[in-house]
Amino acid sequence: MTSDDAGRVTVVHRPGDPPIPPLQVQVGDEVVVRLHGSPGYGWTPVEVVTGPLEVLTAELAEGNVRALVRANGPGEGELRSTSSFRGDRFGPQTRLWRLTVHVSS
């Protein structure tokens, strides 16, 4: 996870990485999410499950996902995506990626 002085935090997740700890941001900050998969085991678009977050852009390419999310107000939110094996519906289990985001004013 990296951040810059312009209020943007980048979160990167690769298969096998441990869960990312809750993220602390300010209202107006942006979070760039990059989830690495593969053409056969790809991620769904990142979605806001709850909270003061908004997905501004989302890109899917060969199992990878990139999303830009903005914190619109104070509170706690959650982002999620799932990754499933695309070659066989009875194949390996679906994986869940989620990130808790704490937004302060």
Side-chain angles (χ1 to χ4, degrees), residues 4 8-9 11 16 18 30 44 46-47 49 58-62 67 75 84 88 96 98-99 101 103 105:
D4 63 23
R8 186 173 278 189
V9 178
V11 174
E30 295 178 340
T44 59
V46 171
E47 63 181 4
V49 177
E59 302 169 13
L60 297 168
E62 297 183 9
S84 299
D88 178 359
L96 171 65
R98 64 184 176 188
L99 176 65
V101 181
V103 183
S105 52

Side-chain angles (χ1 to χ4, degrees), residues 17-102:
D17 282 355
I20 297 170
L23 189 61
Q24 301 281 341
V25 299
Q26 302 286 323
V27 172
D29 285 355
E30 295 178 340
V31 179
V32 176
V33 177
R34 292 188 178 145
L35 304 177
H36 294 273
S38 67
Y41 217 122
W43 292 100
T44 59
V46 171
E47 63 181 4
V48 175
V49 177
T50 184
L53 305 171
E54 176 185 9
V55 176
L56 301 176
T57 63
E59 302 169 13
L60 297 168
E62 297 183 9
N64 300 314
V65 170
R66 182 183 184 280
L68 178 62
V69 178
R70 180 182 309 142
N72 288 329
E76 181 178 290
E78 183 175 286
L79 302 172
R80 282 189 189 175
S81 179
T82 58
S83 178
S84 299
F85 183 68
R86 298 176 184 193
D88 178 359
R89 67 182 193 159
F90 300 108
Q93 292 182 335
T94 298
R95 297 178 289 188
L96 171 65
W97 174 87
R98 64 184 176 188
L99 176 65
T100 300
V101 181
H102 298 282

